[in-house]
Amino acid sequence: GAVVSQHPSRVICKSGTSVKIECRSLDFQATTMFWYRQFPKKSLMLMATSNEGSKATYEQGVEKDKFLINHASLTLSTLTVTSAHPEDSSFYICSADSGNYEQYFGPGTRLTVT
Amino acid sequence: EDQVTQSPEALRLQEGESSSLNCSYTVSGLRGLFWYRQDPGKGPEFLFTLYSAGEEKEKERLKATLTKKESFLHITAPKPEDSATYLCAVRGGSQGNLIFGKGTKLSVKP
């Protein structure tokens, strides 16, 4: 149990375009989902906390207008990187809160902006 | 300030050579300490949750223990397939977000 999926696993886009990443909890409902970013050989950096039916809470330094988060249902959260630039290239990982303080992570999405 | 420190940064073992990974933490109001395994290019895989000092959990060759200041991940007779980065995280404080350490990269040579 406690499986989280992400789609796509890899995406390449041109500078200036927008990219949407989906995060789904497959076998449980998640009121809260989280979006992380990970740079090579670095630990995970929390970007935002996504709560179903309400606005996301962004960490300091994360541009909310650039990284749009929507948590429309208890099993789906989306992260849209708007007007992407090469510096947005990274590994994006989502997680879902199972309800007992445990977070289960998705497999990640590798974004490359050319 | 809530903080998680993992040591060593990297650990190389021979197959069968047991060892331990350390996770030291400072957090107000600990709501859980978590161990994850992360393989290159993949998301973290949940291993254990520990909630209170003295608690221990085991899974195959791994055993996690918790004190009021640190946690250990013991690896008994490791195999090459145990090679990965092991991440420690705590949840606590006013916001309750996960706070991650930088990880220990484990390499097990046959």
Side-chain angles (χ1 to χ4, degrees), chain B residues 17-21 61-62 73-78 82 86 106:
Chain B
E17 179 186 1
S18 302
S19 188
S20 295
L21 282 55
R61 295 178 293 281
L62 300 176
L73 185 65
H74 306 278
I75 301 177
T76 302
D82 295 322
Y86 289 85
L106 174 66

Side-chain angles (χ1 to χ4, degrees), chain A residues 32 34 36 38 41-44 46 49 57 59 91 93 95 97 100-108 110, chain B residues 31-32 34 36 38 41-46 48-49 51 57 87 91 95-98 100-103 105:
Chain A
T32 306
F34 302 86
Y36 293 84
Q38 188 173 34
K41 298 185 180 181
K42 299 291 184 182
S43 193
L44 288 83
L46 178 66
T49 302
T57 303
E59 294 300 300
F91 191 52
I93 311 174
S95 71
D97 194 330
N100 58 350
Y101 300 130
E102 294 178 352
Q103 283 187 30
Y104 292 88
F105 285 80
R110 174 74 58 193
Chain B
R31 300 186 204 181
F34 308 87
Y36 291 88
Q38 187 175 25
K42 296 188 177 181
E45 174 191 341
F46 175 80
F48 302 109
T49 306
Y51 291 105
K57 289 193 177 174
L87 298 171
R91 193 164 185 179
Q95 293 186 332
N97 294 331
L98 275 183
F100 279 90
K102 294 183 178 181
K105 184 175 182 180

Side-chain angles (χ1 to χ4, degrees), chain A residues 59-111:
Chain A
E59 294 300 300
Q60 193 172 9
V62 178
E63 298 177 60
K64 62 180 181 180
D65 294 330
K66 182 168 187 61
F67 298 100
L68 300 179
I69 291 172
N70 186 290
H71 193 159
S73 77
L74 290 172
T75 59
L76 173 65
S77 177
T78 61
L79 168 68
T80 301
V81 183
T82 62
S83 187
H85 291 284
E87 56 264 32
D88 297 325
S89 298
S90 193
F91 191 52
Y92 292 87
I93 311 174
C94 73
S95 71
D97 194 330
S98 67
N100 58 350
Y101 300 130
E102 294 178 352
Q103 283 187 30
Y104 292 88
F105 285 80
T109 297
R110 174 74 58 193
L111 170 63

